[in-house]
Amino acid sequence: MSDCIFCKIVNKEIPSEILYEDDNILAFKDINPVAPVHVLVIPKKHIISVNDIIDQDVQVIGNIFVVIKKLATQLGVAESGYRVVTNTGKDGGQVVGHLHFHLIGGKELGIKIG
Ligand code: AMP
Ligand code: ZN
């Protein structure tokens, strides 16, 4: 999607602080962190939201959680704990229309985030 900011990050058309990359997944630091650790993990494929996940996406979605687990360890929050958040649609507070998983940690999180 040419007008999608996360596709532009995937295509290196705009800069980001990349923490992990493989053929299908990219993880980069959130530009507006809400906690000491705030990483976005995304499929490189332009999937708009959870609503748009199809059977063929199951493997990449599963692999995203393996990446999240490894990043949590690397970033030092696996033991202290963290939150994985996916906002979906207007009421869910989704701003960027490219599926993404927030990995948030490094402090005790309140009930409300995002
Ligand atoms: P959401 O509200 O779930 O759609 O979250 C979108 C997230 O993308 C927010 O936490 C933003 O801070 C983050 N974001 C927006 N633009 C960028 C960017 N260029 N690089 C990194 N993170 C971004
Ligand atoms: Zn996109």
Side-chain angles (χ1 to χ4, degrees):
M1 290 282 285
S2 58
D3 60 345
C4 170
I5 190 164
F6 287 178
C7 282
K8 287 180 179 168
I9 287 175
V10 167
N11 294 326
K12 315 283 167 63
E13 292 168 26
I14 61 173
S16 68
E17 284 191 67
I18 294 172
L19 299 181
Y20 175 86
E21 180 168 18
D22 66 25
D23 287 348
N24 301 305
I25 297 168
L26 190 71
F28 52 96
K29 289 187 181 177
D30 196 294
I31 204 168
N32 187 23
V34 299
V37 171
H38 190 167
V39 178
L40 301 174
V41 187
I42 71 170
K44 288 187 170 178
K45 177 187 172 188
H46 183 80
I47 301 168
I48 296 172
S49 79
V50 170
N51 286 337
D52 303 283
I53 294 170
I54 59 174
D55 288 351
Q56 286 88 333
D57 301 324
V58 164
Q59 191 165 8
V60 70
I61 301 300
N63 287 340
I64 280 174
F65 277 85
V66 177
V67 170
I68 288 170
K69 183 194 81 166
K70 289 178 178 172
L71 284 171
T73 300
Q74 283 172 24
L75 297 169
V77 298
E79 291 300 319
S80 53
Y82 55 92
R83 193 171 285 169
V84 180
V85 176
T86 303
N87 299 318
T88 302
K90 183 175 74 66
D91 285 358
Q94 184 176 9
V95 174
V96 177
H98 182 131
L99 180 65
H100 52 282
F101 297 83
H102 298 254
L103 163 56
I104 302 167
K107 71 172 188 181
E108 196 165 330
L109 299 166
I111 299 298
K112 184 182 183 309
I113 59 145

